Amino acid sequence: MKGTIPARFKMIYGIVFLLIISTTAWLSYLSSKGSLEGQLKNTNIALLHLVQQKIEMILREIDTNTINFIQEPEVAFVLNGRYTNDEMRFSHFNVLNTKFKVLMNANSNISSFYLYSIQKKSMLTDNTFADEADFYDMDWLPAFNNMQRYHQWLDVRQITTVSSGLQLDKNVISLVRQFPLISNPQFRKGAIIVNIDERTVANLMEDVDKQRLGQTMVINEQGMIISSKDKAQLYKPFGSIESAPALDKLQGSGYITKKVRDGSYTTFYVSSQYNGWKYISIVPNPVMNRPLEMVRNILLSIAAGMFIVAIILVYAVSSYTFRPLERFFQAFAGKKIDRHDDLTYLEKFFKQMMSDNESLQKQMHESLPALKWRLIMSLLMADKTNYNRMRKYFDMLGIHFYDSRFVVLVIELDRKQHIASPRDVYLFTYAISNVAEELVAGVCKGVSVEVNDGVVAVIMSFEEDDPQGNQLQALQIADLVRNYVAEHFKQTVTIGVGSPHLQLEGIHESYKEAQNAMKYRLIMGDNTVISIEDVAGNHNDKFYRIWAMSDTIVGLIRDTDKSKLEIQLEKLFDETIKSNVPPEMIKQMCIQLIMKSIKAISDKGLDIKQFLDPKENIYTHIDSCANVEDIRKYISAFLQELIIRTEEKRESKSPSDTVNRIISYLEHNYMDSNLSLNLIASDFHLSVPYLSKLFKETMEMNFMDYLIHIRMEKSKQLLRDPKLKINAIAEQVGYNNAQSFIRIFKKYTGQTPGEYRENPADEKRCID
């Protein structure tokens, strides 16, 4: 027995350890292989996106510089041929030559730059003036003549320039932009042509190729190579590369693997919406899979080392455990051994392993708030990160956003230095963050974060793409937070409100605007809500007034007020004519008015396709009108039809009894400044999302807009009494802060309370 038990122990446990270690290593390799392959492919696509962003940033900057340059008055003189004598012509040429050089010095990516006058059939560069027939580079002209858009990036082409008596061949990519900037092709007066060296684009791609073997290139929509590190590939079709996949398979962004005679290749591709180019990277699979081979070799080495250690441990443990095992078998056989060794240390080992596992899970759970804080701060601070990758962690961290517009609030405790202790400041900050997040949940989706002691940032996201309505709801939430803190915490806060922005990238801009608004606390005092609109100023009062009138028209369509609609349309077109608005701008304004009206009615559930003639093109119809009166008649008929359809749909709907009781409740309690969707849901024993959806479907507007409507209509009645002060009226309709009341009243009516009191007949309702 003594000779057989250790041998069996070593053999059995050696085999067990070998199976466990080899199986674990193999499963680890298989589990990590898929994720690592995905990471490698995502990394290559991310590198292509980075190249695309860098290249398009340069192209957009050049386009912006070109737009600014073409608006110079001297450009109009040269391209229109308005000079009356040679002296005036040379004077303008000299000025333009100077501006040519300034622009080229300011943007080192511009290789050459010249103007083309259709009327004079002449070319002007930074150092020469020549006729079209004598100019060395006119290859771009056919593309310009056939160009239907306002600008176009041309494919790579070769031009020959003369410098210091030497002829230089250069591959360039050209931007052609028409003059005037916005006009039909038959009204063009000329063009501006900007050339950039193809090597500028190729050098940006070369930075990626240095990180791994492979080649990166840019192709156009027809599959011609327009930029590559290998200049021999220029002007050739993409299909001429043996490892290249078919062009029709390169849709959007992704990757395709193809096997050829000399091996297997993976082609990564990204499509540009800016100019239609495709960014291609072809990588040999052995090179791309090299990290997988390294992981496999490392796992094999670790497995071999673990097996050696396991064998050593088996021999060591067998020496210490032989006596207890032998005592066990001899006791089973009716014999006894005097030694008292046992295997209790194994029990301690497993208990410690379980304890470590529980401790690790606890640490992971405790780290989630820190991860959430770090992610939100990255959004606010615009850290250089991948927003699409960031979205994957939102659900895990309990962050829920709509994909439309975002508004940021910055809430700061007033007089923090007067609060008893830093711990109290921390507790107030934590409480304000929770209150703000709960109030936001009653209106939209959002999240709050404690930026530092005494400062909270709130990110609000809205389902509807309605900037003005979203801004108004953000201001209302800010007022609720301020009132709640004053009533329950006996403290005051100042709140800065940014403007709505699209996508996650806009959160940083709204946060900066909210911070800039907070700086005006020095002027406006503590315990105030300061919107960026309050301090941004108005740079174009004339057009703001016209667009405000168009917003009023949309409001009348929602209210189905046909008589006031006709009056407001008359005012809009009279004001447009008095302001000498160009015809093209009038047409664009009318198209925008129709689009906003269609969206407003669609939000109420009306299917516009039911009465719109699919053969009728609104753009063509407006463009074909001979005068403004024809446009007005068409707009009037179209909007009247919208109202008729809305009234028919409204008559077919039956109001909800629950909503009727809520409306009655609001009519009697609108003066409560703490009134919110959360409070109503609690009083009527309903969930906030259900109540919000029910109210919107029945009333064709959300809860906050309807509450504002009630308060504003009541305030208009009170303003008819000249003895009542504005502050008293604000309190009577549920606003503890007169400034907030004045701001919302002006957005609703287009006038301040004082202006409305003096001229109630001139009301211009602005809220959508």
Side-chain angles (χ1 to χ4, degrees):
M1 182 68 70
K2 289 184 179 180
T4 58
I5 291 179
R8 292 177 180 178
F9 177 86
K10 295 172 185 177
M11 181 181 67
I12 293 173
Y13 280 92
I15 294 173
V16 169
F17 278 123
L18 176 62
L19 292 175
I20 291 175
I21 293 172
S22 60
T23 302
T24 302
W26 178 246
L27 292 177
S28 299
Y29 172 71
L30 292 179
S31 62
S32 62
K33 178 182 177 182
S35 61
L36 188 56
E37 285 179 342
Q39 292 176 9
L40 289 173
K41 292 173 180 177
N42 291 336
T43 300
N44 279 275
I45 293 177
L47 288 172
L48 269 185
H49 276 294
L50 180 61
V51 170
Q52 176 194 5
Q53 292 171 3
K54 288 183 177 180
I55 294 174
E56 291 190 0
M57 181 176 65
I58 292 176
L59 300 182
R60 290 179 186 273
E61 180 184 6
I62 292 174
D63 197 3
T64 301
N65 292 337
T66 304
I67 292 174
N68 294 333
F69 182 84
I70 206 170
Q71 298 182 71
E72 296 289 345
E74 290 80 11
V75 173
F77 275 97
V78 170
L79 297 184
N80 289 323
R82 294 178 180 172
Y83 40 82
T84 58
N85 52 54
D86 290 341
E87 182 180 355
M88 179 181 294
R89 183 185 68 179
F90 286 118
S91 173
H92 285 98
F93 285 178
N94 290 333
V95 173
L96 277 179
N97 283 335
T98 302
K99 293 183 177 180
F100 268 131
K101 295 175 181 177
V102 170
L103 178 59
M104 294 182 69
N105 291 333
N107 195 325
S108 60
N109 295 311
I110 296 177
S111 173
S112 58
F113 190 93
Y114 33 86
L115 294 173
Y116 170 63
S117 172
I118 296 177
Q119 182 176 357
K120 296 297 183 179
K121 300 295 182 181
S122 61
M123 304 295 299
L124 177 64
T125 70
D126 60 329
N127 53 20
T128 184
F129 174 77
D131 292 333
E132 174 185 334
D134 300 329
F135 195 64
Y136 63 88
D137 176 24
M138 294 302 295
D139 293 341
W140 53 268
L141 186 57
F144 170 68
N145 291 334
N146 297 325
M147 187 172 69
Q148 297 301 316
R149 296 177 294 177
Y150 301 140
H151 76 286
Q152 182 177 346
W153 282 96
L154 304 183
D155 299 339
V156 65
R157 57 198 184 88
Q158 189 176 72
I159 63 174
T160 302
T161 60
V162 178
S163 177
S164 302
L166 298 175
Q167 289 188 349
L168 300 176
D169 293 333
K170 184 183 299 183
N171 296 318
V172 299
I173 299 173
S174 302
L175 167 66
V176 179
R177 180 170 280 281
Q178 72 173 23
F179 178 86
L181 284 174
I182 301 177
S183 66
N184 292 327
Q186 62 268 28
F187 299 115
R188 292 170 178 166
K189 300 298 182 182
I192 186 169
I193 298 90
V194 182
N195 297 321
I196 62 172
D197 197 327
E198 181 271 336
R199 290 176 297 181
T200 301
V201 177
N203 290 339
L204 291 174
M205 295 187 295
E206 189 174 357
D207 294 339
V208 176
D209 288 339
K210 290 180 179 178
Q211 302 180 32
R212 42 101 174 112
L213 293 178
Q215 56 178 333
T216 304
M217 63 191 69
V218 180
I219 66 174
N220 62 10
E221 295 176 327
Q222 291 74 37
M224 299 302 295
I225 300 175
I226 59 178
S227 183
S228 174
K229 179 176 65 175
D230 185 0
K231 303 307 175 187
Q233 294 178 340
L234 296 181
Y235 310 103
K236 293 182 179 180
F238 179 60
S240 62
I241 301 175
E242 183 181 8
S243 57
L247 184 63
D248 57 358
K249 296 182 179 180
L250 306 181
Q251 302 297 327
S253 62
Y255 59 89
I256 296 175
T257 301
K258 181 179 180 181
K259 293 182 179 181
V260 295
R261 289 177 300 176
D262 60 346
S264 177
Y265 293 84
T266 298
T267 300
F268 299 91
Y269 57 91
V270 172
S271 301
S272 171
Q273 297 182 354
Y274 173 61
N275 49 22
W277 294 353
K278 294 184 184 297
Y279 298 82
I280 308 294
S281 182
I282 302 177
V283 184
N285 282 341
V287 174
M288 189 177 68
N289 294 331
R290 194 168 294 161
L292 292 175
E293 297 177 359
M294 294 177 60
V295 171
R296 182 190 61 194
N297 295 336
I298 291 173
L299 287 175
L300 288 176
S301 301
I302 293 174
M306 291 177 64
F307 182 70
I308 293 173
V309 172
I311 294 300
I312 295 174
L313 289 176
V314 166
Y315 274 86
V317 170
S318 66
S319 300
Y320 287 101
T321 59
F322 174 76
R323 291 294 179 184
L325 290 174
E326 185 179 30
R327 189 164 55 246
F328 169 77
F329 282 104
Q330 294 216 2
F332 183 80
K335 300 179 180 180
K336 293 187 178 180
I337 299 177
D338 296 330
R339 298 189 60 178
H340 302 285
D341 300 323
D342 55 30
L343 299 177
T344 56
Y345 75 97
L346 289 175
E347 181 181 359
K348 295 180 181 179
F349 171 79
F350 284 113
K351 286 183 177 180
Q352 182 64 38
M353 187 171 65
M354 295 295 294
S355 176
D356 291 343
N357 181 56
E358 293 176 357
S359 177
L360 182 61
Q361 291 182 355
K362 182 178 179 181
Q363 292 177 7
M364 185 66 181
H365 181 73
E366 292 174 350
S367 65
L368 287 179
L371 294 174
K372 179 179 179 181
W373 182 89
R374 180 68 185 91
L375 184 64
I376 298 173
M377 291 303 297
S378 296
L379 291 172
L380 295 173
M381 300 301 178
D383 289 349
K384 294 182 178 179
T385 185
N386 188 320
Y387 287 98
N388 291 329
R389 184 179 301 173
M390 187 181 293
R391 293 177 187 271
K392 301 177 182 178
Y393 301 99
F394 283 175
D395 290 338
M396 182 184 74
L397 299 176
I399 300 174
H400 304 287
F401 286 144
Y402 290 117
D403 291 330
S404 187
R405 291 190 175 269
F406 295 85
V407 177
V408 177
L409 312 181
V410 174
I411 308 170
E412 184 171 355
L413 269 172
D414 297 328
R415 300 180 297 279
K416 289 182 289 187
Q417 65 276 16
H418 296 156
I419 299 177
S421 67
R423 176 176 175 78
D424 292 334
V425 174
Y426 169 79
L427 292 176
F428 279 129
T429 307
Y430 178 78
I432 291 171
S433 177
N434 289 338
V435 168
E437 190 161 330
E438 182 178 354
L439 290 173
V440 167
V443 177
C444 59
K445 292 184 180 181
V447 67
S448 65
V449 64
E450 301 139 50
V451 178
N452 49 51
D453 288 347
V455 181
V456 173
V458 182
I459 303 175
M460 303 176 63
S461 66
F462 297 89
E463 184 177 10
E464 297 179 353
D465 188 10
D466 180 10
Q468 192 172 19
N470 297 342
Q471 181 76 358
L472 196 59
Q473 293 189 41
L475 293 171
Q476 191 76 3
I477 290 297
D479 280 329
L480 289 174
V481 172
R482 183 177 57 82
N483 294 337
Y484 190 98
V485 172
E487 180 178 352
H488 294 83
F489 301 160
K490 307 305 178 185
Q491 298 290 331
T492 62
V493 291
T494 301
I495 304 177
V497 183
S499 59
H501 287 270
L502 288 172
Q503 306 304 326
L504 293 176
E505 294 86 340
I507 292 177
H508 173 60
E509 295 299 326
S510 186
Y511 178 63
K512 288 197 302 184
E513 291 172 352
Q515 288 181 313
N516 291 334
M518 286 290 295
K519 296 177 182 178
Y520 285 81
R521 180 171 57 176
L522 182 66
I523 300 173
M524 299 185 178
D526 295 337
N527 196 27
T528 55
V529 175
I530 308 171
S531 172
I532 190 64
E533 294 182 356
D534 295 336
V535 299
N538 191 343
H539 304 291
N540 197 331
D541 293 336
K542 179 174 64 177
F543 292 110
Y544 177 83
R545 184 172 64 253
I546 294 174
W547 282 114
M549 295 173 68
S550 68
D551 291 338
T552 305
I553 292 174
V554 175
L556 293 173
I557 293 173
R558 284 178 172 161
D559 295 341
T560 63
D561 194 335
K562 291 186 283 188
S563 59
K564 287 186 178 180
L565 174 65
E566 285 298 324
I567 296 173
Q568 194 64 24
L569 277 176
E570 290 287 350
K571 290 182 179 180
L572 174 66
F573 279 91
D574 289 345
E575 187 67 27
T576 302
I577 295 172
K578 290 178 183 178
S579 302
N580 293 324
V581 178
E584 288 298 324
M585 188 170 292
I586 293 176
K587 294 177 181 179
Q588 289 297 324
M589 181 186 69
C590 293
I591 291 171
Q592 290 296 326
L593 177 59
I594 288 179
M595 293 299 103
K596 291 175 68 175
S597 302
I598 289 176
K599 182 182 183 304
I601 299 305
S602 298
D603 291 342
K604 294 186 175 184
L606 178 63
D607 187 2
I608 302 299
K609 296 179 180 178
Q610 293 180 357
F611 74 94
L612 278 180
D613 185 357
K615 299 180 180 179
E616 180 181 11
N617 189 310
I618 297 174
Y619 299 90
T620 305
H621 196 118
I622 293 178
D623 192 56
S624 63
C625 290
N627 50 55
V628 175
E629 181 61 21
D630 291 343
I631 296 177
R632 190 196 66 78
K633 291 180 180 178
Y634 175 73
I635 296 294
S636 176
F638 189 92
L639 299 183
Q640 291 287 354
E641 182 67 17
L642 284 183
I643 291 178
I644 292 173
R645 296 291 178 170
T646 303
E647 289 176 338
E648 292 175 353
K649 181 175 180 60
R650 182 175 295 169
E651 291 173 357
S652 64
K653 295 174 64 176
S654 59
S656 169
D657 292 339
T658 302
V659 175
N660 286 338
R661 289 191 290 117
I662 293 173
I663 291 173
S664 177
Y665 181 89
L666 294 178
E667 290 287 349
H668 292 87
N669 297 277
Y670 65 88
M671 66 291 297
D672 184 359
S673 62
N674 292 321
L675 202 59
S676 66
L677 191 63
N678 301 63
L679 179 62
I680 299 296
S682 176
D683 289 347
F684 283 83
H685 306 290
L686 299 172
S687 68
V688 172
Y690 173 76
L691 177 56
S692 176
K693 180 180 179 182
L694 178 64
F695 196 93
K696 185 172 182 180
E697 289 179 350
T698 305
M699 299 306 298
E700 299 177 348
M701 65 174 67
N702 60 42
F703 169 82
M704 194 63 69
D705 286 342
Y706 189 80
L707 178 58
I708 292 172
H709 168 73
I710 293 177
R711 288 175 171 174
M712 294 300 103
E713 293 301 323
K714 296 293 183 182
S715 63
K716 288 195 291 184
Q717 297 175 12
L718 295 173
L719 283 169
R720 295 190 178 97
D721 186 354
K723 296 180 181 180
L724 286 177
K725 295 184 178 180
I726 302 298
N727 291 344
I729 294 175
E731 292 180 359
Q732 290 186 38
V733 296
Y735 294 96
N736 294 334
N737 183 272
Q739 183 183 7
S740 299
F741 167 70
I742 294 171
R743 180 193 300 116
I744 295 175
F745 189 90
K746 185 173 182 180
K747 283 184 175 291
Y748 186 84
T749 65
Q751 300 173 293
T752 64
E755 292 171 347
Y756 181 85
R757 173 172 278 172
E758 294 176 1
N759 300 295
D762 294 339
E763 174 188 354
K764 303 184 289 294
R765 187 180 178 200
C766 296
I767 190 171
D768 285 341

